[in-house]
Amino acid sequence: MSVVNFGSINLDFVYRVQALVRPGETVQSLSLERFAGGKGFNQSLALARAGAAVRHVGSVGEDGRWLVEMLETEGVDIRNVEVVPTPTGHAIIQVSERGENSIVVHGGANRELSNAQMERACADLGDRDWVLLQNETNASEFVFAEASKRGFRVILNPSPLDSSLLDLPLDRVDTFLINEVEGEALAGEDDPERVLVAMRKRFPTADIVLTLGDQGAAFSGRDGTAAYARAENVAVIDTTGAGDTFAGFYLAAVLAGANPQSALAAGCRAAAHCVSRPGAAPSIPLASDL
Ligand code: RIB
C-alpha cells in the first residue's frame, strides 16, 4: 500500500519578524533563511520518515533539482516528478517571536503538472493505494475527475482553501485533514465541536481529522467513532510545517493499522517535534526521534 501524493515542492524564504506584519505596515525582518518546503514536499517527507511507502507527483524548475534529490534520498519514489522550464514554486513565510506564521505561496512550477504526467501517476495506482492531495498545485480538478472515474481513495488537505476547490465534488473525499481555519471555511462554524458536527452532516461518508494547534487533534469517523489526542507541551520556535508533519505521521500510522486515537497521538507527537525547531521540512522528525 502506497500513498501517491500530488503535491507542491517549494523553496521557503523564512523571515523572522517581531510580530506578523499588519495591513499597511512595513517592518524590518530580524533574519532570513531558506529551507526546503511546500505542503506536498513536507507531507511526502513526513510519510517517508514515518515509514510509509510514498510516491510524489509534482514539478520543479531547474532551481529545484536539489529538492527532488532530497526526496529521493529520503526514500520517496520520484518517478512522477518532472523538471519544467518554469522556476520552482516558493513561499514567503513570516515567523513571529511567538512562533506563529503567515505564508504567501507562489505556485511557479507547481502549477505546471501536465495531464500526461498525472495520467501516468494514476495509471500506476494499485487498488489499495491512497491519493493524497493539497491545493498548491494545478492537480486538484484532475484528481477529482479521475477519482470519480476510477474510484480511488482521496485524502484531502484543503490548503490553501479557495473557491476553485469548493467547486469540486468534495463528497468524493475519503478523509479530510483540516485545521481550524479550513474547518471554519468548510463548516461555517468556529467552535471545534461544532465544526466536527457540521462536517459530519455535510460529508457523511468521510472521516474527518481536525488539528487544533496547541489543543491537539480530534477525529470524527464515518462509522460514528470519535477520538481526541492532546498536543504535547513544548517550547514553540516555529509552527511552519506542523500540520504537514501531523498529516504524514497520522496517515502512516493509519496505513500501519493504528486505531484513530493512536494515529492522532502519533501525529501530535511528530508535530510537537516540528514546532520546537525552525523551518518546515528540516524540522520533520525521523520515526527514531520520537
Ligand atoms: O505548510 C507549510 C508549507 O506551506 C511551507 O513549507 C510552504 O512552502 C507552504 O507550502
Side-chain angles (χ1 to χ4, degrees):
M1 259 165 113
S2 295
V3 177
V4 180
N5 183 12
F6 288 73
S8 58
I9 302 175
N10 285 342
L11 297 165
D12 284 357
F13 296 90
V14 179
Y15 300 84
R16 286 245 159 219
V17 290
Q18 232 156 28
L20 301 182
V21 68
R22 290 168 304 170
E25 191 184 26
T26 303
V27 298
Q28 212 41 277
S29 93
L30 306 171
S31 67
L32 166 62
E33 288 177 284
R34 196 181 73 147
F35 296 111
K39 292 185 198 309
F41 180 100
N42 300 336
Q43 292 179 24
S44 282
L45 199 67
L47 278 156
R49 289 188 172 178
V54 51
R55 297 205 288 278
H56 195 94
V57 188
S59 294
V60 294
E62 284 294 340
D63 55 341
R65 281 190 187 271
W66 67 278
L67 296 164
V68 186
E69 282 160 18
M70 187 172 162
L71 282 180
E72 190 172 24
T73 308
E74 295 274 349
V76 175
D77 182 326
I78 52 148
R79 79 183 86 157
N80 286 311
V81 178
E82 291 193 352
V83 179
V84 297
T86 309
T88 302
H90 70 265
I92 296 166
I93 304 178
Q94 300 174 45
V95 178
S96 74
E97 280 182 338
R98 297 168 54 188
E100 302 158 317
N101 65 61
S102 86
I103 305 179
V104 177
V105 283
H106 176 73
N110 293 311
R111 313 295 304 176
E112 304 281 340
L113 274 71
S114 69
N115 279 1
Q117 173 188 10
M118 295 190 278
E119 266 155 25
R120 262 197 322 275
C122 288
D124 275 356
L125 278 170
D127 285 349
R128 299 172 62 219
D129 291 343
W130 295 356
V131 168
L132 173 60
L133 184 68
Q134 314 80 33
N135 194 33
E136 288 187 341
T137 70
N138 62 323
S140 303
E141 197 178 335
F142 182 95
V143 167
F144 273 92
E146 284 297 300
S148 301
K149 272 194 250 158
R150 297 169 185 251
F152 53 71
R153 183 186 285 216
V154 178
I155 320 291
L156 179 66
N157 172 215
S159 179
L161 187 63
D162 57 22
S163 55
S164 66
L165 190 67
L166 292 174
D167 286 342
L168 295 176
L170 298 183
D171 53 337
R172 284 251 356 113
V173 172
D174 177 272
T175 303
F176 283 94
L177 301 174
I178 55 175
N179 64 16
E180 291 160 286
V181 175
E182 292 141 13
E184 188 172 350
L186 282 169
E189 299 282 356
D190 56 5
D191 169 76
E193 276 179 29
R194 287 208 294 268
V195 167
L196 287 174
V197 170
M199 287 291 289
R200 167 96 354 277
K201 224 183 196 163
R202 181 163 172 200
F203 303 107
T205 58
D207 282 344
I208 318 288
V209 180
L210 175 64
T211 56
L212 300 163
D214 62 4
Q215 297 302 304
F219 172 90
S220 165
R222 61 190 136 240
D223 62 357
T225 318
Y228 169 75
R230 251 177 235 288
E232 297 194 0
N233 195 3
V234 289
V236 176
I237 303 291
D238 179 0
T239 53
T240 315
D244 302 331
T245 303
F246 174 93
F249 279 76
Y250 169 83
L251 289 175
V254 175
L255 273 170
N259 63 31
Q261 212 286 323
S262 312
L264 291 181
C268 287
R269 241 185 342 265
H273 185 284
C274 172
V275 300
S276 56
R277 287 157 180 80
S283 62
I284 298 171
L286 297 167
S288 57
D289 291 330
L290 304 176

